[in-house]
Amino acid sequence: MSRSPGLADTPSFSSCFHCGQPVPDGARYPVTFEGSSHAACCHGCQAVAQTIIDSGQGAYYTHRTALPSTPREAEAELAQLGLYDLPEIQESFVRVEAEHVREAALILENIVCAACIWLNERHIAALPGVLSVEINYATRRARVRWDDRRIQLSAILKAVSDIGYIAHPFDAGRSDDIHRRERNTAIRRLAIAGLGMMQVMMVALPTYTATDMTDDIRVIMRWASLVLTLPVVGYSAWPFFVGTWRDLRRGMLGMDVPVALGIATAFAASVYSTFTGQGEVYYDSVNMFIFLLLTGRFLEMNARRRAGAAVEELVKLIPAAATRLPAWPARDTEQVPVARLRPGDHVLVRPGDTLPADGVVIEGHSAVNEAMLTGESLPVAKAAGANVVGGSLNEASPLVVRVDRLGADTRLASIVRLLDRAQSEKPRISQVADRAAAWFIGLLLVISAVVGYAWFIHDPSRALWIVVSILVVTCPCALGLATPAALTSGTGRLTRLGLLTTRGHALETLARATDVVFDKTGTLTRGHLAVRQVAPLAGHSEAEVRALAAALEAGSEHPIARALRDGVTPAPGASALRNTPGHGVEGRVGQYAYRLGTPRFAAADAAPPTTQAGASWVALSENGVPIAWFALADTLRTDAADALAALRRQGLRLHLLSGDAAPAVEDVARQLGIDAWRAGALPEDKLAYVKALQAAGRVVAMVGDGINDAPVLAGAQVSIAMGEGTDVAQAAADMVMLGSRLATLAEGVALARKTQRIVRQNLGWALGYNLIAIPAAALGHVTPWLAGIGMSASSLLVVLNALRLSDFGTTRE
């Protein structure tokens, strides 16, 4: 039995050496410290503890006087010691952007509403050295960028804790733990509030209905109601008071302020009446609207969790452990945490296993399912030399993969990072709503005071509960949630469809687009040559001449050579092969000499048999006599025609810009039914074309894939880069198509338009509700318990309406 240093008589077999949590049965995560082995509860604690020890900071474990009772306390201790500033610790969750610029993904606890996000963003952004902060309301995940010369990560974590929140380095497992803990706490608070409400209603009912109740019995009923209400106000409603104190201490009016004021006012007045025996008590109303408010928040929490499910699903794709081949090409294997893998390591990925990192297949042939990353439903064939993406699923046969990129450098991590940024960035309509919500609370308090004073003069007996009703019924939470809830749900659904949103304005702008401008090569076409037509001569068959051409091009990696070899078995016996750059290849097959290449090189300038628009002709000659012609051209994507037809049905005007020659561009435009096209367009010509459309009042969406498309992608109001395109194009784009399905674009336009409709519906509901609720409450038509229902329902309805986007495309819209 091992002991944790610094602890007296504390057995370590039942608690984690690092965080103090119980070690699950069967867990084997040893930590070596001062020659002894200690148990950790998970590979994350194991990795962090061993890194702390190996970096010379083991005194932390020697000098602490007790195991922390929760992971939260362990994180606080580490933050105070500054251990999170160690590069070894940061390696697993901090990305290095530049020499002194760092970016970390954090998870926040105690977030209860949109105002919490606003407070944390403002507070963290005000810290000297913090370059940017973006917080996703649905997932509670924050992305913070800072200059490590001016501020350290531990200072950022402490600053968050100073305003009553807890920040941890993000980990998918920890995120689930936090959600479960918050959910369990919410259930306990809700259960106590529900039990208290029922008991108080049972006590209060006779006081409303009995006609012969004596004053002594009425007093006893009031005291019983007070005793039953105390745990509801003191425990169940505690988060409202904590949130209010936090906001007031910062000089702010948050969304908890009117709720806490309403609860405190009604409860204080009831206590006063109970002690003095004068006036009315409102214990039943207090219990009821606390219960209703907590019910609304609980349902909203679950709905928000579902809205952010797309990001969470992506984060969880990377497995916790991998099978490493430490002495490759030897076949010895070992199970290691993914956090311990390094670039250059070789891992064995068995059928049914998830790839732990980005890399290259070294051995094996299999089919890999990349659906979660690209939206492609069919598995992709992978063989030696093929690139694979961490998070994809190996379905068929074992693969040996060399690890190239890990952690924050993987494609999956970049997708999550971009999606977080898009969901955290606020479009114009959201910024207006946030400003309105901030002013709304101050206005609400003024209205409550004025109305309360008027009722106190007119009818003092009704003044108190009317003020409470106004404070509770008119909460701006729905206004603050209207846009973030819809954007989170919409961008999450788009990601599952295969269209990654990387900037917050993209959905809003795509919904308003009037024109879509396409690049040709690599966007509407596959970007590589294929044989479009074969014309055999002199009695040769098509199969024969294709086999001869494949034999002559067997050793070449030229695009024409790959096209001629594709799907063909080369004829045997090719020899004396000689390549003439820019012209073609020649050699012998059997007793005959062959030439394959340009008409001048292989066919003595003989003319091709037909004219093939957009195609290049390659000749094959035998002993100087032409025996076949091959027409090669870039091929259209299989779904290009259907995808563009769908865009036209949505009322969009389509344009085609390309740097290729006019015949090739005209041929593609004719096949796809595009009337507006331009050939020979340089990057500056494409940008000028888009600017001309914008000057005419059009809203332009640009779709491209190459380096030459980057200027026009940046210049369009909204831009989409192909997932197979260059990094430069993707960096300039507002959205990235993860797969090769062009149909995703039409689905994206439809979803963007529906998202905007839902945002407008949400804002309309939030404004309309408050315009009706405030006068109704001020006139005395809304009781406190009914106000609780109204406030909870307004926020919940906004989130549930946004959730309709999560199922977009699964049923017919």
Side-chain angles (χ1 to χ4, degrees):
M1 182 184 301
S2 61
R3 294 183 180 272
S4 181
L7 303 179
D9 301 322
T10 304
S12 65
F13 66 86
S14 60
S15 57
C16 176
F17 176 75
H18 174 63
C19 74
Q21 286 290 288
V23 177
D25 292 339
R28 296 292 183 269
Y29 301 105
V31 177
T32 302
F33 180 61
E34 294 184 343
S36 299
S37 180
H38 306 272
C41 63
C42 63
H43 75 86
C45 283
Q46 179 195 41
V48 171
Q50 202 62 60
T51 302
I52 291 171
I53 294 165
D54 294 345
S55 63
Q57 302 293 327
Y60 163 70
Y61 295 109
T62 303
H63 298 305
R64 65 180 183 181
T65 58
L67 283 172
S69 59
T70 65
R72 179 187 310 176
E73 294 175 18
E75 301 297 340
E77 290 185 29
L78 286 174
Q80 290 168 5
L81 290 173
L83 293 175
Y84 275 127
D85 300 331
L86 293 173
E88 299 92 336
I89 301 291
Q90 293 186 0
E91 191 175 61
S92 63
F93 67 93
V94 173
R95 188 170 71 97
V96 178
E97 284 193 1
E99 184 178 357
H100 294 287
V101 178
R102 304 290 185 267
E103 180 187 78
L106 307 174
I107 188 76
L108 298 181
E109 290 190 57
N110 301 337
I111 298 292
V112 295
C113 67
C116 299
I117 302 295
W118 181 84
L119 172 62
N120 276 277
E121 286 182 338
R122 289 280 297 271
H123 183 66
I124 297 172
L127 297 174
V130 171
L131 305 178
S132 66
V133 56
E134 298 162 350
I135 304 176
N136 187 322
Y137 175 66
T139 62
R140 281 97 176 280
R141 187 161 55 251
R143 290 205 174 270
V144 183
R145 295 173 63 249
W146 72 94
D147 185 337
D148 68 354
R149 293 171 298 183
R150 302 175 60 195
I151 192 170
Q152 296 298 314
L153 178 59
S154 58
I156 297 174
L157 298 180
K158 185 177 184 305
V160 174
S161 68
D162 287 344
I163 57 171
Y165 298 89
I166 307 294
H168 309 290
F170 178 78
D171 174 81
R174 177 175 291 153
S175 177
D176 286 340
D177 289 341
I178 291 171
H179 174 71
R180 279 194 295 271
R181 187 164 64 246
E182 291 182 348
R183 188 174 185 275
N184 291 338
T185 301
I187 290 174
R188 284 195 298 271
R189 294 188 192 278
L190 188 59
I192 290 174
L195 184 62
M197 179 189 68
M198 290 187 291
Q199 297 301 316
V200 170
M201 290 299 291
M202 290 173 62
V203 172
L205 184 61
T207 66
Y208 294 139
T209 58
T211 57
D212 57 350
M213 182 177 290
T214 64
D215 290 342
D216 291 341
I217 298 298
R218 195 177 298 275
V219 169
I220 291 173
M221 292 294 192
R222 287 188 172 192
W223 279 99
S225 296
L226 171 59
V227 172
L228 291 169
T229 304
L230 278 173
V232 177
V233 173
Y235 177 70
S236 295
W238 187 246
F240 300 119
F241 297 117
V242 170
T244 297
W245 171 247
R246 181 174 58 230
D247 293 339
L248 294 178
R249 194 175 62 179
R250 299 283 304 167
M252 294 172 47
L253 293 176
M255 294 182 188
D256 282 330
V257 172
V259 175
L261 278 177
I263 294 171
T265 303
F267 182 69
S270 300
V271 172
Y272 175 80
S273 296
T274 301
F275 276 92
T276 63
Q278 300 175 356
E280 297 295 328
V281 294
Y282 305 96
Y283 295 121
D284 52 344
S285 294
V286 170
N287 280 275
M288 186 174 291
F289 68 69
I290 289 174
F291 173 75
L292 293 171
L293 290 173
L294 291 175
T295 300
R297 283 200 172 179
F298 179 74
L299 295 174
E300 180 192 322
M301 177 177 68
N302 291 330
R304 183 182 62 236
R305 177 81 173 178
R306 184 182 164 198
V311 183
E312 297 301 316
E313 288 170 3
L314 288 174
V315 169
K316 294 175 184 175
L317 287 179
I318 295 294
T323 303
R324 184 165 62 184
L325 300 167
W328 172 260
R331 296 289 173 168
D332 297 333
T333 64
E334 61 178 359
Q335 287 290 117
V336 296
V338 169
R340 290 193 175 182
L341 292 177
R342 293 292 179 266
D345 283 352
H346 291 78
V347 293
L348 174 65
V349 185
R350 298 182 176 92
D353 287 352
T354 301
L355 278 91
D358 293 358
V360 177
V361 176
I362 300 300
E363 181 181 282
H365 188 286
S366 186
V368 174
N369 190 330
E370 300 177 347
M372 281 296 296
L373 298 171
T374 66
E376 299 282 358
S377 58
L378 296 177
V380 180
K382 300 291 183 181
N387 292 317
V388 289
V389 181
S392 52
L393 179 67
N394 183 22
E395 292 193 343
S397 304
L399 293 174
V400 175
V401 176
R402 186 190 70 234
V403 173
D404 285 348
R405 290 182 298 276
L406 288 156
D409 296 325
T410 62
R411 186 183 181 197
L412 177 62
S414 68
I415 290 174
V416 172
R417 195 159 48 245
L418 291 172
L419 187 55
D420 267 343
R421 183 180 73 180
Q423 292 181 346
S424 303
E425 287 180 352
K426 295 180 174 64
R428 290 191 305 265
I429 192 169
S430 180
Q431 294 169 3
V432 172
D434 284 352
R435 286 195 294 270
W439 283 99
F440 185 84
I441 296 172
L443 180 62
L444 170 62
L445 297 178
V446 173
I447 292 173
S448 300
V450 172
V451 171
Y453 179 74
W455 273 101
F456 183 77
I457 295 174
H458 175 68
D459 186 354
S461 65
R462 302 179 65 190
L464 179 64
W465 69 259
I466 287 176
V467 169
V468 171
S469 296
I470 295 174
L471 288 171
V472 173
V473 78
T474 52
C475 180
C477 290
L479 194 61
L481 287 173
T483 302
L487 287 181
T488 298
S489 194
T491 52
R493 180 59 189 156
L494 264 185
T495 302
R496 288 193 290 269
L497 290 173
L499 187 60
L500 175 66
T501 306
T502 66
R503 288 179 174 84
H505 75 87
L507 267 183
E508 179 186 7
T509 311
L510 185 61
R512 297 187 294 110
T514 59
D515 294 65
V516 182
V517 178
F518 290 93
D519 173 51
K520 181 180 77 72
T521 305
T523 302
L524 295 175
T525 66
R526 295 185 180 277
H528 56 80
L529 294 173
V531 176
R532 183 180 291 184
Q533 179 182 343
V534 180
L537 305 173
H540 294 275
S541 68
E542 179 176 334
E544 182 184 358
V545 296
R546 293 209 64 175
L548 288 168
L552 293 170
E553 295 284 16
S556 174
E557 288 303 316
H558 192 279
I560 291 178
R562 288 198 296 269
L564 291 170
R565 290 199 309 266
D566 190 23
V568 179
T569 302
S575 61
L577 296 175
R578 186 164 63 91
N579 180 54
T580 304
H583 297 280
V585 63
E586 58 185 310
R588 300 189 67 85
V589 178
Q591 300 178 353
Y592 300 98
Y594 293 92
R595 278 193 170 192
L596 177 69
T598 63
R600 173 175 296 182
F601 176 75
D605 278 334
T610 60
T611 301
Q612 183 73 255
S616 300
W617 285 99
V618 173
L620 174 65
S621 65
E622 181 183 84
N623 292 335
V625 178
I627 61 171
W629 290 91
F630 301 91
L632 281 79
D634 196 356
T635 56
L636 287 175
R637 295 182 183 270
T638 54
D639 66 339
D642 292 340
L644 268 62
L647 291 171
R648 272 192 292 269
R649 288 194 297 271
Q650 292 172 331
L652 293 164
R653 291 179 54 188
L654 307 182
H655 307 257
L656 175 60
L657 303 179
S658 176
D660 291 351
V665 179
E666 182 181 13
D667 180 52
V668 170
R670 178 184 54 77
Q671 292 184 65
L672 298 177
I674 300 175
D675 297 326
W677 59 271
R678 178 174 294 182
L682 299 173
E684 55 268 30
D685 299 327
K686 295 180 180 181
L687 183 58
Y689 186 95
V690 167
K691 292 295 184 186
L693 289 175
Q694 293 170 336
R698 315 296 292 181
V699 179
V700 180
M702 176 69 200
V703 187
D705 77 314
I707 293 175
N708 62 329
D709 295 322
V712 69
L713 286 170
Q717 280 106 327
V718 62
S719 52
I720 302 101
M722 302 299 292
E724 303 160 345
T726 64
D727 292 341
V728 174
Q730 293 182 18
D734 303 314
M735 309 177 92
V736 177
M737 206 173 294
L738 297 175
S740 58
R741 291 177 61 250
L742 280 175
T744 304
L745 185 57
E747 296 168 352
V749 171
L751 182 58
R753 291 176 177 177
K754 184 169 183 179
T755 301
Q756 289 309 299
R757 288 197 299 272
I758 285 181
V759 168
R760 288 193 291 269
Q761 290 168 6
N762 284 350
L763 289 173
W765 160 255
L767 292 171
Y769 164 79
N770 283 298
L771 289 175
I772 294 171
I774 291 176
L779 293 173
H781 300 312
V782 180
T783 59
W785 66 267
L786 188 59
I789 292 178
M791 178 199 159
S792 300
S794 64
S795 296
L796 184 60
L797 185 64
V798 162
V799 177
L800 292 177
N801 191 36
L803 278 178
R804 294 195 295 134
L805 294 167
S806 298
D807 298 323
F808 181 86
T810 58
T811 57
R812 189 173 181 82
E813 291 293 324

